[in-house]
Amino acid sequence: MNHATGATSAAPSTSTLQSDLAARRVKYHEADVVVVGAGVFGCAVANTLANQGRSVILLERWMKEPNRIVGELLQPGGYKSLQRLGLEHCVEEIDAITNVGMDVIWYGRDMAMKYPYPDEGRRPPTQSTSLPTNGHASRPTSSKAKHDEKEPIRPKGRSFHHGRFIMQLRRTCMRNPNITIFETEAVATVKGEDSPEIQGVQTRTTNPATGQKEADCFFGQLTIIADGYASKFRKEYIGRAPVVRSKFYALELIDCALPHTGYGHVVIGEKTLCLLYQIGTHETRALVNVPEKLPEAAPAAGGVRGYLANVVLPQLPPSIQPSFHAALAKDDKIPPSMPNSWLPPTKQGAHPGLVLLGDAMNMRHPLTGGGMTVALNDAVLLSEELSRAKVPDLGDYKAVRQAMARLHARRKPLTAIINVLAQALYSLFAADDANLAALQRGCFAYFEMGWSADPMGFLGGLIPRPLLLAYHFFTVAFVAIWLDWKDIGLWKVPLLLWRAVSIFWTASVTFLPVMWEELTC
């Protein structure tokens, strides 16, 4: 029994071939490509492959609007990939907010930084002040800052309700004559009897008449698994589990007075790390990091709600506190949460007929909002490497394997930046020892010194240069060492040398293993 929710009949202008392929998808569940998961990556890659003339089946277990607390911040690099995919209309008419930069609030000191122009070098800081008590920071007064405000070509990101964005992507796929969407739950792959090739997926489809789930199968020359962070297929086909060190607990703030309109905000304080960004005209998302086994969030201390009320709330800017308190007082439930995961990438192509991509294959801490940028960049690269000019027949497993090798190499410069930056900044911003706290202070001082253009370019997914990221990170380490020396006193040479080695060692073990994993995997 068919339970399709996409375009299954030929429009008057649809070719006979398209009609035949659509009928085959519906009747026989056969296509060139089967995509499992209609999330950001799944929809993007299904649509772009379909635009190349491939016949595509898109499978999704739940076609209702999802309600997720991450996947709401799209950095400028991700928006550029969305444009390259012809999907920029998906952030229209969903009350999306334009973002121009990031504001870091470090123990009450405020540093607002914009995404850089292309090839922008060192620039004076946009703003560095003590945070005003009324939540309205003074505007930049320099002529250069005023020029920056009016510059139309400066990169910009978008933030929005995740579910609204996903539904726009899905509606685009529904309108594509080369895609048929089925609401069904993928449970296993279909394997050849006498060969290792993956021929498709087994699913369970709910019969609307009985409410019972019935076995089903879908077949394709290539199966793309994009079933997200909780992938059912990761263990079998990648064999490694994500590393989880903390969770983000989420609140939706109503009419929150953020210190800077059009900026994401990171608030760093004692035992506090909070990310805030506007997702609608009236709504602001607050994500509070809660490390595993945090004593301040233990049941004896009032649990997560007690931690939010007693530790986090007092350290937020005064303008944010009323809406944060109101969101927390709305009910007595524990706020929704998501694990903050790190999963290094795995080269694809080892399993003929199948690839895993998206969060099923690679994840990073969501602090920097880089997940969708990686996903959309991967969709662009995959569509190029699987184009008909390079891979005419998706059943040619050797050609597909070579395409995946090229994809893996091409994605590294950008994804290594985003993934390493996310993990390194989380370690610094959630500092849990003296050396990391010193590096945290050095990082903020580095921004105050005016070295924000490249770091903001990394954050925005605009600069794919891993070695440049390493240069900036270790320069931050030397700034941290210098500030530490000033505190101790330059005459205490043995202690200074010990502290310098200790801080530099911490910087090395924070940054280098993650970068090595990203570049050598």
Side-chain angles (χ1 to χ4, degrees), residues 212-242:
Q212 300 297 312
K213 290 191 174 182
E214 301 174 352
D216 213 339
C217 287
F218 295 84
F219 303 95
Q221 292 179 310
L222 179 65
T223 298
I224 300 175
I225 302 294
D227 58 340
Y229 76 97
S231 174
K232 293 181 178 180
F233 298 88
R234 181 187 297 126
K235 183 177 180 180
E236 181 178 2
Y237 291 105
I238 290 183
R240 63 192 308 176

Side-chain angles (χ1 to χ4, degrees), residues 95-174:
D95 196 24
I97 303 299
T98 298
N99 292 304
V100 299
M102 183 66 69
D103 180 29
V104 179
I105 302 170
W106 183 71
Y107 290 89
R109 292 165 62 182
D110 184 31
M111 185 69 199
M113 301 166 285
K114 288 186 175 181
Y115 299 116
Y117 295 96
D119 302 319
E120 181 178 357
R122 182 186 179 190
R123 304 176 73 89
T126 303
Q127 189 168 339
S128 179
T129 65
S130 294
L131 195 67
T133 56
N134 63 1
H136 299 287
S138 58
R139 296 183 180 276
T141 56
S142 69
S143 60
K144 184 65 178 178
K146 289 181 180 179
H147 173 72
D148 288 350
E149 288 287 339
K150 298 178 181 179
E151 179 57 58
I153 62 170
R154 185 180 289 276
K156 295 179 176 65
R158 301 293 188 277
S159 54
F160 36 72
H161 288 270
H162 173 82
R164 297 177 187 175
F165 178 55
I166 292 298
M167 294 310 291
Q168 288 281 72
L169 290 170
R170 290 176 180 176
R171 281 189 282 268
T172 299
C173 290
M174 290 178 184

Side-chain angles (χ1 to χ4, degrees), residues 104 111 113 123-125 128 425 429 442-452 455-456 476:
V104 179
M111 185 69 199
M113 301 166 285
R123 304 176 73 89
S128 179
L425 281 185
F429 288 178
C443 183
F444 190 79
Y446 195 64
F447 295 154
E448 287 186 315
M449 293 164 64
W451 293 95
S452 63
M456 286 302 297
V476 165

Side-chain angles (χ1 to χ4, degrees), residues 336-348:
S337 67
M338 288 281 288
N340 296 327
S341 305
W342 176 51
L343 179 67
T346 300
K347 187 175 181 179
Q348 298 300 297

Side-chain angles (χ1 to χ4, degrees), residues 40-41 74 77-78 81 358-359 361-364 369-381 411 414-419 461:
V40 174
F41 177 79
L74 182 63
S81 292
D359 281 354
M361 184 272 289
N362 184 206
M363 290 187 284
R364 76 292 309 151
M372 288 191 290
T373 299
V374 171
L376 294 170
N377 180 65
D378 282 352
V380 170
L381 297 180
R411 73 189 298 273
L414 179 64
T415 58
I417 289 283
I418 293 173
N419 295 344

Side-chain angles (χ1 to χ4, degrees), residues 12 20 71 94 144 149 190 212 239 277 307 316 346 381 383 391 408 415 480 483:
D20 291 344
I94 60 171
K144 184 65 178 178
E149 288 287 339
V190 177
Q212 300 297 312
Y277 49 88
Y307 168 69
L316 296 176
T346 300
L381 297 180
S383 67
V391 186
H408 193 69
T415 58
L483 294 174

Side-chain angles (χ1 to χ4, degrees), residues 284-416:
T284 294
R285 173 68 69 209
L287 296 172
V288 179
N289 182 72
V290 181
E292 291 182 329
K293 300 179 181 179
L294 181 69
E296 289 79 3
V304 171
R305 288 181 58 84
Y307 168 69
L308 298 178
N310 301 325
V311 179
V312 177
L313 177 60
Q315 299 189 71
L316 296 176
S319 65
I320 296 175
Q321 291 184 17
S323 57
F324 191 93
H325 181 270
L328 193 58
K330 186 177 180 180
D331 55 46
D332 59 358
K333 298 178 181 178
I334 298 176
S337 67
M338 288 281 288
N340 296 327
S341 305
W342 176 51
L343 179 67
T346 300
K347 187 175 181 179
Q348 298 300 297
H351 305 282
L354 179 139
V355 296
L356 273 78
L357 290 166
D359 281 354
M361 184 272 289
N362 184 206
M363 290 187 284
R364 76 292 309 151
H365 197 288
L367 174 67
T368 56
M372 288 191 290
T373 299
V374 171
L376 294 170
N377 180 65
D378 282 352
V380 170
L381 297 180
L382 185 69
S383 67
E384 293 173 354
E385 295 302 336
L386 292 183
S387 66
R388 288 187 178 275
K390 292 184 177 181
V391 186
D393 179 13
L394 293 177
D396 183 346
Y397 300 130
K398 180 179 179 180
V400 171
R401 184 168 61 252
Q402 292 172 342
M404 292 303 99
R406 294 192 298 269
L407 167 69
H408 193 69
R410 289 182 63 193
R411 73 189 298 273
K412 283 185 179 183
L414 179 64
T415 58

